[in-house]
Amino acid sequence: MLRTKRAYVAYGLGLTLIVGLMLAGAIYWWPTFSVNVTQLKVFALPVPMLGDMLNQIERGGVAAYVAGQHYFKAGNTVCVGAAILFASGAVAGEAQRGTLEVWLARPVSRARLLTERYVGGLLVTLAPLFLTSALVPWMLTWVDESMGFGDLMRMSVHCAAMLTAIYSLAFLWSTASSDPMRIIFVVLMFFVFQFAIYLVKTATNYSFFRLADIEVYMKIVLHDRLDMRIVGPFVAVSVVSYVTSLRVFARRVP
Amino acid sequence: MPQVIAAARLEHAAPVRVQARKLEIDQRRPAVRAHDDVLFLVQIVVAEADAVERAHEVLQQREEVVGQRLRAVQRRARDVGAQDDLTRPRDPPAQVGVRREHSVLDEPAEPAPVFGREAVFEVSERRQHPALTSREGPRQRPEARARRGDPPHDPLDAEHAARNGQALEQLDMPERVAFELGHDSHLGHRARTVRRVGQRATHSPVGGTARSLAGTARRGGGPALLSASASLARANVHTFPSAIPVQATRPPKSSSAARAGAIHARGLVRRFGAHTVLQPFDVDVEPGLVTGLLGPNGSGKSTFMRCLVGLVRADAGAVTLDGVRLLGDGTGVRERATYAPGELHLYGELKGHEQLTFLLRGRDRAAHERARNIADDLGLPLERRVRGYSHGMKRQLLFAAAMAPDVRVRILDEISEGLDPAKRSEILERIADDAAAGRAVLLSSHHLGEVDRVCARLLFLSKGQLIADEAAVDVARRSSRRLSLVWADEASATRALDVLRGPLVAEALRDGARTSWLLAEDDPRPFLARLAAASELPAPIALEHGRMSLSDLYRDLYGVEGT
């Protein structure tokens, strides 16, 4: 999928557009939401976790709303999907279409080729997140609200760490596989399941998304710092996955 | 066909290879049924250039008018400038196995220079369909012809063979003779045949002398020479790949020391799970030569080549390429060599020039320029997306990328696979030139005939083992005992087995209408003479001598099942 500069730019712009439009729509809807939050909580009664989220937003104001709409909703769905998509095709896609050999046959080291592919896909995944986050203060002026740029960047870094971990795991699998569709299906299904159990009150603490929900983001805003107990493991998983990918790729047969 | 049979009567030397093929007639068209032209293609490889010269002189003594249409084709072809190749012969370096071809028959006003060792004759006979003729024609009863004093038509007729043999008796025996028999028609296969003639003619002025045999044969109801053509190896577009690469000297045995521009592989082993794909063996590929790596599918050719450039890590063994030892992922080795993969998968979304840029990453700017030039020479549309390329065009794109970098080693996996004969010849010719410039070229194929024309040395793999390492000329010699005949029907084939079996034949097999013969001795002439004299047999529709398929070679020479 991501093989040429043109593809990187196209997919990056596409993802930016999708996430940006979602964010713009959410911010545009903020005044209506804030007025009607009480009624919305009534609708959310059958799903207690939704009620909890609405309570958090009611308490946290526009910052919690942005965290919920941008980082929890867009970050944990669209960006996770993009990360899985870009990572799964990185090497397995080449193998599947048979171009792995011409990719490797050039006088360029495998480590360099893999790193380029890894960094390229990661940039396409993360750049839209940071770019759209940087636009939040400007968008909030539409609704006479404001939010600290530092808070937004810290929340973006947290979300990026989570996406990098997911991306790296999918990338590692891609390095060893020749079937990108299987990777996409399995990993996506796993995270859909994780999202599903997040909404179940009794099982929510077993969900991966507890590591990147509104409550976590609001703690970052309140404490003005990243929660390294969460970001640290994300980074560790990413590094280990990347290093393992290099080792696997070094012995990869075209 | 008659020349081949006549060749059996020659006593000076033995042909190594004979081939004949019959084209089908489009019988649906009444006009086609009314008139058939029969075309014979006679391809002769002789031992030395002098023999071609003598053939030229002998055949010029015979006269006939060449068909107007064919001459027009030949003239057009000549006008495109390919004559330069004939008038300015270039000698390939002695150490490179390049076969040179040359026309032995030419316009009298413009006698072609004689050099090289191959000649191609095209012999034609026009005849009326038996349904519409009562006095003449190929199917006329022999006794009727005899009453009129006509020579027999049947190319295998002994008398006819003798007539045709008289001229050739003055020649040294060719090393190889190949025939193509074409039952041509005005509307059907004529165009195909003429086009094929034209292909040859693009590289050689042809025609004039060809008249002689044509007239003689037409008068007698026998075959007539319509045209004759040949070409230099540089412009080699003939239909049949040669099995006789010319090699001045046997390729030198290399030392084990690493040399610049050479490939040294020592004891490479590669296993995939419990399956050992490569067994340990040593190979040295010398610069200045094209070395062929042959083997059936699954024999380990591609894995071996991938191991050489580090794409597959060998479990054991060592590789030194252009003086650099293969270490790590082989980037250092790949900087000194180009590798064209056998798997033909490219990025369809890229345009041709973008794909070239992709393939040439890590090479200098000059390589990019050269690749574009090669691609332009090959006629590749670089502005089109690769997804619109045909199989052959993709192969040529890979070839352009592999030949462009200024490196001393090229490793080309199945580079001519899927190409039409003209492109294949062009590519093989470029490869030969490249090797002549001092580069080591390792060329793999599972078709013996595709690579042996440029390879000086052949490495044979089977089940991951190197089972033979031979000079190509030796392989060609060993193949000279094989001969096959294709008959019109199985009954004829069965009868041929009975009639021709004898002390001249070590082994005879029938597969449908094809009979395969393993001759008892290298010289096929006694057997051909016996074939010519066997008047009770019909004429075979195809004859092949001196050509072996890879599976034949493996089975007969090495006792290994090659397919």
Side-chain angles (χ1 to χ4, degrees):
Chain A
M1 182 175 278
L2 296 174
R3 293 182 185 88
T4 60
K5 288 176 186 168
R6 202 165 48 212
Y8 282 106
V9 171
Y11 280 99
L13 285 177
L15 186 59
T16 304
L17 194 65
I18 292 168
V19 175
L21 285 174
M22 287 173 68
L23 180 63
I27 288 176
Y28 186 76
W29 195 52
W30 162 246
T32 311
F33 178 87
S34 59
V35 170
N36 297 312
V37 68
T38 310
Q39 288 85 341
L40 287 171
K41 282 201 288 189
V42 175
F43 284 116
L45 279 176
V47 186
M49 283 305 295
L50 274 180
D52 287 355
M53 279 192 276
L54 289 171
N55 285 331
Q56 287 165 6
I57 292 171
E58 195 175 22
R59 288 197 300 271
V62 73
Y65 181 74
V66 169
Q69 289 287 355
H70 191 45
Y71 298 107
F72 181 74
K73 189 179 80 181
N76 289 354
T77 56
V78 176
C79 291
V80 164
I84 294 166
L85 203 64
F86 297 151
S88 59
V91 179
E94 299 283 357
Q96 188 190 42
R97 67 189 293 184
T99 49
L100 189 57
E101 192 168 14
V102 292
W103 188 44
L104 296 177
R106 302 169 298 169
V108 182
S109 75
R110 288 192 179 201
R112 182 171 174 176
L113 288 173
L114 194 75
T115 303
E116 286 174 354
R117 193 55 64 92
Y118 179 84
V119 171
L122 202 55
L123 276 178
V124 173
T125 308
L126 301 185
L129 181 74
F130 282 94
L131 199 61
T132 49
S133 297
L135 293 175
V136 168
W138 172 68
M139 289 180 180
L140 285 176
T141 59
W142 303 344
V143 290
D144 295 328
E145 294 282 359
S146 65
M147 195 175 164
F149 189 76
D151 290 337
L152 287 165
M153 287 301 109
R154 276 189 287 276
M155 286 194 283
S156 298
V157 168
H158 183 95
C159 186
M162 179 204 66
L163 291 173
T164 304
I166 295 170
Y167 176 89
S168 301
L169 287 168
F171 191 87
L172 170 60
W173 191 356
S174 175
T175 307
S177 170
S178 300
D179 189 352
M181 290 310 294
R182 177 184 294 178
I183 301 170
I184 292 169
F185 181 78
V186 171
V187 179
L188 266 182
M189 284 302 108
F190 173 77
F191 282 105
V192 167
F193 174 72
Q194 290 291 311
F195 211 90
I197 63 171
Y198 179 86
L199 297 176
V200 180
K201 186 85 174 173
T202 53
T204 190
N205 286 335
Y206 298 100
S207 171
F208 175 84
F209 291 109
R210 283 292 287 166
L211 302 174
D213 63 0
I214 297 173
E215 189 179 338
V216 171
Y217 286 118
M218 288 315 294
K219 281 181 184 171
I220 292 171
V221 172
L222 287 173
H223 297 116
D224 284 341
R225 61 180 170 83
L226 291 170
D227 187 348
M228 293 311 293
R229 290 174 305 169
I230 301 175
V231 174
F234 281 154
V235 173
V237 166
S238 302
V239 171
V240 169
S241 298
Y242 170 65
V243 172
T244 310
S245 298
L246 285 175
R247 295 179 66 85
V248 170
F249 192 58
R251 296 196 69 86
R252 174 87 200 232
V253 175
Chain B
M1 187 70 79
Q3 276 75 15
V4 174
I5 304 310
R9 303 172 64 85
L10 302 183
E11 297 174 356
H12 300 301
V16 173
R17 193 163 163 184
V18 179
Q19 179 168 317
R21 208 175 291 155
K22 181 181 182 181
L23 299 178
E24 294 179 2
I25 311 170
D26 183 357
Q27 293 287 6
R28 293 169 299 182
R29 308 293 294 269
V32 173
R33 288 201 299 272
H35 291 279
D36 291 346
D37 277 0
V38 182
L39 280 185
F40 301 89
L41 182 82
V42 185
Q43 192 177 22
I44 304 178
V45 176
V46 291
E48 53 191 26
D50 287 350
V52 179
E53 184 99 57
R54 289 197 295 279
H56 188 186
E57 292 167 2
V58 168
L59 294 168
Q60 266 195 328
Q61 294 167 8
R62 311 178 77 168
E63 75 299 331
E64 188 43 69
V65 177
V66 179
Q68 200 65 36
R69 178 165 36 170
L70 185 57
R71 275 192 293 175
V73 170
Q74 292 157 355
R75 288 208 176 94
R76 270 203 307 279
R78 200 162 54 225
D79 289 342
V80 303
Q83 192 178 357
D84 278 357
D85 279 335
L86 281 175
T87 53
R88 289 189 278 106
R90 281 167 283 185
D91 287 334
Q95 61 185 11
V96 179
V98 176
R99 183 194 56 193
R100 289 182 286 181
E101 291 180 273
H102 171 61
S103 173
V104 297
L105 299 170
D106 204 349
E107 293 282 3
E110 308 173 58
V114 175
F115 48 88
R117 52 202 298 273
E118 178 160 327
V120 179
F121 306 86
E122 295 200 6
V123 185
S124 168
E125 172 203 29
R126 170 164 294 190
R127 65 188 186 192
Q128 285 190 291
H129 194 274
L132 300 179
T133 180
S134 59
R135 297 186 57 194
E136 288 187 344
R139 296 164 207 266
Q140 192 177 3
R141 295 164 65 87
E143 52 270 31
R145 284 204 297 271
R147 276 198 303 275
R148 290 168 44 222
D150 288 348
H153 168 70
D154 189 338
L156 288 180
D157 187 300
E159 183 188 346
H160 178 76
R163 269 178 67 102
N164 286 284
Q166 286 167 4
L168 289 174
E169 279 174 0
Q170 301 167 42
L171 304 179
D172 283 344
M173 198 61 207
E175 286 183 18
R176 176 172 67 90
V177 186
F179 291 80
E180 183 162 337
L181 170 63
H183 275 253
D184 211 349
S185 69
H186 293 293
L187 301 173
H189 294 278
R190 165 63 107 185
R192 195 193 308 169
T193 306
V194 169
R195 186 168 62 249
R196 203 166 44 243
V197 170
Q199 281 181 342
R200 291 182 172 81
T202 54
H203 303 289
S204 60
V206 293
T209 315
R211 301 163 186 162
S212 57
L213 290 181
T216 303
R218 192 175 302 172
R219 280 196 308 276
L225 189 63
L226 240 182
S227 73
S229 67
S231 60
L232 294 174
R234 286 188 56 80
N236 181 9
V237 195
H238 65 80
T239 307
F240 308 128
S242 167
I244 314 291
V246 177
Q247 187 188 349
T249 56
R250 189 181 288 270
K253 290 288 179 189
S254 62
S255 67
S256 60
R259 288 212 294 129
I263 305 171
H264 304 285
R266 294 283 173 272
L268 288 179
V269 177
R270 175 66 199 190
R271 297 183 194 88
F272 290 110
H275 180 49
T276 303
V277 178
L278 278 184
Q279 316 251 14
F281 58 82
D282 297 345
V283 163
D284 297 297
V285 177
E286 298 298 327
L289 294 175
V290 182
T291 302
L293 185 63
L294 285 152
N297 292 324
S299 58
K301 302 186 299 293
S302 295
T303 304
F304 177 68
M305 289 182 143
R306 288 168 176 170
C307 284
L308 292 182
V309 292
L311 289 180
V312 171
R313 283 197 181 189
D315 296 319
V319 172
T320 307
L321 192 149
D322 193 16
V324 173
R325 184 155 187 183
L326 174 65
L327 293 171
D329 67 359
T331 308
V333 161
R334 286 196 300 277
E335 284 171 351
R336 287 163 178 78
T338 57
Y339 168 68
E343 297 289 331
L344 193 55
H345 298 287
L346 297 174
Y347 296 93
E349 69 271 25
L350 298 184
K351 292 180 177 172
H353 64 89
E354 292 171 335
Q355 181 68 77
L356 274 184
T357 305
F358 176 91
L359 293 169
L360 290 169
R361 186 179 166 192
R363 309 291 183 187
D364 58 14
R365 185 176 294 274
H368 290 250
E369 285 297 316
R370 278 192 296 273
R372 286 192 76 115
N373 291 338
I374 294 171
D376 288 341
D377 289 349
L378 294 170
L380 292 176
L382 293 180
E383 295 305 318
R384 264 173 55 188
R385 295 202 186 277
V386 173
R387 73 166 66 96
Y389 277 27
S390 67
H391 180 91
M393 290 160 81
K394 288 178 186 171
R395 184 67 72 189
Q396 290 169 61
L397 198 67
L398 273 181
F399 174 76
M403 297 300 281
D406 187 16
V407 293
R408 294 199 211 170
V409 175
R410 302 200 197 282
I411 297 173
L412 309 172
D413 191 2
E414 307 269 2
I415 197 67
S416 59
E417 180 265 334
L419 296 178
D420 63 67
K423 286 293 182 193
R424 185 185 307 144
S425 294
E426 189 173 350
I427 277 178
L428 292 176
E429 183 185 311
R430 282 177 180 269
I431 291 170
D433 288 349
D434 200 54
R439 294 187 177 89
V441 180
L442 182 62
L443 180 66
S444 84
S445 179
H446 55 267
H447 295 300
L448 184 61
E450 277 192 6
V451 295
D452 66 352
R453 62 202 299 183
V454 293
C455 292
R457 186 175 154 218
L458 297 171
L459 309 172
F460 294 93
L461 291 186
S462 177
K463 295 175 182 170
Q465 288 182 306
L466 183 70
I467 58 170
D469 176 356
E470 289 195 73
V473 69
D474 290 344
V475 174
R477 278 198 200 106
R478 297 176 75 172
S479 67
S480 65
R481 287 192 180 190
R482 291 192 63 84
L483 191 145
S484 72
L485 298 165
V486 179
W487 305 87
D489 49 54
E490 291 190 17
S492 300
T494 306
R495 195 140 53 96
L497 282 185
D498 295 335
V499 171
L500 298 175
R501 209 186 283 273
L504 298 174
V505 176
E507 184 184 318
L509 295 170
R510 184 179 70 80
D511 179 14
R514 173 183 286 269
T515 52
S516 301
W517 311 82
L518 182 61
L519 304 182
E521 53 189 50
D522 291 345
D523 187 350
R525 288 173 300 166
F527 181 83
L528 289 173
R530 174 132 176 71
L531 175 64
S535 56
E536 64 269 43
L537 290 176
I541 59 173
L543 186 154
E544 208 171 69
H545 168 245
R547 175 188 287 201
M548 296 186 86
S549 69
L550 199 57
S551 57
D552 290 337
L553 190 74
Y554 273 61
R555 189 170 50 248
D556 294 351
L557 301 185
Y558 307 117
V560 176
E561 201 57 44
T563 55

